[in-house]
Amino acid sequence: MSNETSCVTTDTVPGFRVSKTFGTVMGVSIKSRNFVGNWLGNMRATFGGEQGGFAKMVMATRDEAIGQMLAQAESMGANAVIGMRFDSAEFDSGKGQSMEQVLAYGTAVILEPEH
């Protein structure tokens, strides 16, 4: 494992064992597009086409949530997060303003080589 906190969706990592479990860690991010981005997205939705701006916003929201989760794990002394999952939702905050929420969560642990 590197010196960075690692993150996996599995409950085990081949060649490593969990030597300490800290518990659940999570990060959440909520982002919205600006008025122009929403307007352009609505036009694309009406006439068809890729939603590139919305996809970028979702990816940025996801990356921020993961970063927060990993920072929380590091602050506890963990070197990994196992069993990582996402939960996401989109909601209208009013006046047609679309918001994207992503929650990243998992179990903070210390992984050590098996040997």
Side-chain angles (χ1 to χ4, degrees), residues 5 12 34 42 44 56 69-70 78 90 103 110 113 115:
T5 302
T12 60
N34 62 29
N42 288 335
R44 285 190 188 106
K56 286 178 185 176
M69 178 192 65
L70 293 175
E90 180 184 320
L103 170 70
I110 291 180
H115 303 296

Side-chain angles (χ1 to χ4, degrees), residues 4-61:
E4 290 183 12
T5 302
S6 298
C7 177
V8 297
T9 58
T10 57
D11 293 330
T12 60
V13 177
F16 292 85
R17 66 179 182 81
V18 174
S19 66
K20 184 172 184 179
T21 302
F22 293 94
T24 303
V25 289
M26 64 185 70
V28 66
S29 179
I30 301 171
K31 293 195 180 296
S32 67
R33 292 175 69 184
N34 62 29
F35 174 79
V36 174
N38 278 333
W39 183 80
L40 290 171
N42 288 335
M43 292 299 290
R44 285 190 188 106
T46 301
F47 297 106
E50 184 175 341
Q51 296 289 327
F54 188 70
K56 286 178 185 176
M57 181 185 71
V58 171
M59 296 295 281
T61 307

